[in-house]
Amino acid sequence: MAEKLTEDKEDKKSKALDGGYGWVVIFAIVAINSALSPIVVCFGMLYEAKFLEMGITASQISFLLHLNNSLQCALGLFSGPLLKVFTNKQIVLGGGCLSCLSLVLTTLSWRYEYLLCTIGVMLGVGNGILMPATYMMVYSYFEKKLALAISLQVTGSCLIGIFMPQVCHFLLQYYGVQGTVLIFAGFALNMFPAALLLHPLKGREYKKKKTSKIILPHDDKNGLNDKLISTNNNNSLPKEKKNMCRSVTKLFDFKLFTEATYVILALGMGVSFASELNTIVMTPFVLTRLNGFNIQELAIAISWLSSTDLTGRLVVPFITYKMNLPPKVCYVCSLMASSIGRTIMAVFYDQKYIVLIGVATLGLGKGSKAVFQSLILPRYVEYERLAAANGLLMVTNGILSLVVGPVIGLAHDLANSYIYSLYATTALSMFCVILWSCDYLIRPKVKKVTEESSSTESNA
């Protein structure tokens, strides 16, 4: 009887783990991402003309947008510790408050320095606080259907990018830049009711360390008398201070950087993330200044980019799932597709219809990469270390983004053309392809030599 009850309980848990309320969580996350994304999707349409009038350089624009993403990524380092103190819902609501406030304040001025504070810093920090919590919600509800869940999440979040450029073009005609941004700020408030749907799955909450209480005897020098001190172990206070660095290392799981597999994954994904991000944020400026698109053509092109992005998120993962291809291989293929798209845009820059083919290829690569980059770490890191691993990866992405982005922008400023920026971006993306290919070819040989040497030593 007891065994049957246990089986029934496990069966209910497995159903809840890969379905059930998990689909409501996916819907809520899609709503949150959609509410906060219009300002990012339409940033080029909103400020391209004003930046050109103010003489803002490509490297300055790149720095602003990469600062936003770098802070968003850097705060991923604290996702593990935050999840040990607060619930996912509390973290999302807190980050959402800051993000919405930043959009409201953005309407007060369009000066570059002011946008650095609102879009660059405040929005980046707000999104950086809430995004890791949404990732962990998906990881907690899904295991076998994780690929499907992430595909639906990133696909749903992309839908708004298809029609929002057309909405932005319409709003700009009647309300101008500041009025349009204020409407986007109001739209962002829809994230709060969606965040209230984020309930954790019982038994899959992020593990919090249990604390024990020790009573210290009276000490005339330190004045300690029956004070209660909470600690993670039964060691004395002096030993706690000596082990502080070790505790911090364990808390953030810096030990991951001693594992070659994780370092190679993080380095490859970090460099390619920074280069691909530069393409995403600078595409409206490239289409306007290099390819000669007007505001209406730009709106159509961005909607076209989002449509093919959606196809890449929804169709490509399904095909690769049927072919049973590993996420790393699919990620590399998506980088190559984006590189082909950029090359078409650079070579045929004065032929708009061919440029749209390049935009479509770029969108396919962008969309499929968004799915596969979320599937790589869970293959190599156990669930208990996943928040820390994801946080460290985001910090790596943020640091590399802040360095790589302005450098690519500088390539435009020196040559006065986005052609060289596109080629530089492709070269950086190919770094990941070459790095992982070398690792795939060399690692088995190194492992074999190591095993043979250890076997020889043991026989001796």
Side-chain angles (χ1 to χ4, degrees):
M1 187 70 176
E3 291 180 0
K4 188 177 180 182
L5 288 172
T6 305
E7 288 177 3
D8 291 342
K9 196 176 289 185
E10 289 178 355
D11 185 53
K12 287 180 181 178
K13 183 180 177 182
S14 64
K15 287 180 180 178
L17 185 61
D18 276 301
Y21 195 79
W23 301 120
V24 178
V25 170
I26 294 296
F27 168 79
I29 294 173
V30 168
I32 292 168
N33 292 338
S34 299
L36 294 172
S37 63
I39 187 68
V40 178
V41 172
C42 301
F43 186 85
M45 293 182 64
L46 290 167
Y47 293 103
E48 196 279 331
K50 184 60 65 174
F51 282 168
L52 186 63
E53 179 185 324
M54 295 166 62
I56 304 299
T57 64
S59 57
Q60 287 177 303
I61 297 170
S62 185
F63 177 77
L64 166 63
L65 297 171
H66 280 272
L67 175 63
N68 170 286
N69 220 273
S70 295
L71 289 173
Q72 183 174 322
C73 291
L75 285 167
L77 179 64
F78 301 97
S79 59
L82 281 174
L83 286 167
K84 293 177 182 177
V85 180
F86 304 102
T87 65
N88 297 76
K89 186 189 297 184
Q90 290 170 336
I91 294 172
V92 171
L93 288 172
C97 287
L98 186 59
S99 295
C100 291
L101 178 61
S102 71
L103 295 181
V104 173
L105 294 177
T106 300
T107 63
L108 301 180
S109 175
W110 51 52
R111 287 178 59 85
Y112 177 77
E113 296 80 9
Y114 187 80
L115 292 176
L116 276 177
C117 296
T118 56
I119 299 295
V121 177
M122 290 183 64
L123 184 61
V125 171
N127 289 348
I129 291 172
L130 68 90
M131 289 303 176
T134 62
Y135 300 152
M136 292 307 298
M137 285 294 294
V138 179
Y139 294 145
S140 66
Y141 268 93
F142 294 92
E143 278 187 358
K144 295 178 182 178
K145 296 180 180 178
L146 180 61
L148 174 62
I150 290 178
S151 179
L152 290 175
Q153 178 206 326
V154 297
T155 299
S157 302
C158 178
L159 283 172
I160 199 167
I162 296 176
F163 62 85
M164 190 51 70
Q166 309 302 322
V167 173
C168 181
H169 179 234
F170 172 81
L171 292 175
L172 284 171
Q173 291 178 318
Y174 291 93
Y175 302 104
V177 174
Q178 291 173 308
T180 302
V181 174
L182 186 60
I183 293 172
F184 286 170
F187 182 74
L189 297 176
N190 289 297
M191 66 142 293
F192 291 108
L196 296 177
L197 298 174
L198 299 178
H199 299 302
L201 177 64
K202 290 184 179 180
R204 291 281 285 182
E205 298 94 341
Y206 196 81
K207 293 182 179 178
K208 298 177 175 64
K209 292 185 179 179
K210 293 182 179 179
T211 60
S212 57
K213 293 178 179 178
I214 60 173
I215 300 177
L216 297 181
H218 178 73
D219 188 329
D220 293 328
K221 292 181 179 179
N222 298 322
L224 299 175
N225 186 15
D226 294 343
K227 289 188 177 179
L228 293 179
I229 295 183
S230 179
T231 179
N232 290 327
N233 51 51
N234 294 321
N235 296 331
S236 61
L237 188 61
K239 194 172 181 180
E240 282 271 319
K241 292 180 179 179
K242 292 179 181 178
N243 292 335
M244 187 175 293
C245 291
R246 186 180 299 173
S247 300
V248 171
T249 301
K250 188 176 181 180
L251 180 66
F252 293 104
D253 208 352
F254 290 134
K255 192 177 179 182
L256 283 163
F257 283 128
T258 65
E259 301 173 13
T261 300
Y262 181 80
V263 171
I264 291 171
L265 283 176
L267 184 59
M269 292 178 71
V271 173
S272 60
F273 171 87
S275 62
E276 294 297 320
L277 173 66
N278 192 80
T279 300
I280 295 168
V281 299
M282 297 302 290
T283 293
F285 299 93
V286 173
L287 291 173
T288 303
R289 301 185 187 182
L290 175 65
N291 305 122
F293 283 49
N294 58 38
I295 188 69
Q296 185 175 3
E297 292 170 335
L298 178 61
I300 294 172
I302 296 176
S303 295
W304 176 235
L305 175 68
S306 298
S307 300
T308 53
D309 184 342
L310 177 65
T311 305
R313 294 171 190 246
L314 192 60
V315 177
V316 175
F318 178 77
I319 295 173
T320 56
Y321 174 77
K322 290 294 184 181
M323 296 173 65
N324 199 28
L325 293 175
K328 277 181 70 175
V329 173
C330 299
Y331 184 86
V332 165
C333 292
S334 68
L335 292 180
M336 295 177 72
S338 297
S339 298
I340 292 171
R342 282 189 295 269
T343 303
I344 292 173
M345 292 173 65
V347 173
F348 303 99
Y349 66 91
D350 57 346
Q351 301 179 46
K352 292 183 179 179
Y353 288 106
I354 298 181
V355 167
L356 287 175
I357 295 174
V359 169
T361 309
L362 183 65
L364 286 171
K366 173 179 174 288
S368 56
K369 185 180 76 69
V371 176
F372 298 127
Q373 70 184 6
S374 302
L375 295 174
I376 294 175
L377 278 187
R379 288 285 190 99
Y380 296 91
V381 180
E382 56 269 25
Y383 178 77
E384 288 73 18
R385 304 178 73 190
L386 196 54
N390 189 57
L392 291 174
L393 176 62
M394 290 182 72
V395 171
T396 304
N397 290 348
I399 293 171
L400 290 172
S401 175
L402 201 57
V403 173
V404 170
V407 170
I408 296 175
L410 187 61
H412 163 271
D413 294 338
L414 293 175
N416 198 28
S417 173
Y418 275 108
I419 292 177
Y420 297 99
S421 297
L422 293 170
Y423 287 146
T425 304
T426 295
L428 288 168
S429 292
M430 287 299 101
F431 169 80
C432 176
V433 177
I434 295 170
L435 177 65
W436 286 1
S437 300
C438 292
D439 177 59
Y440 176 78
L441 295 172
I442 295 173
R443 186 183 290 270
K445 296 179 181 180
V446 174
K447 185 178 180 181
K448 185 177 180 181
V449 171
T450 305
E451 289 176 351
E452 289 177 353
S453 61
S454 60
S455 177
T456 305
E457 289 175 1
S458 62
N459 291 333

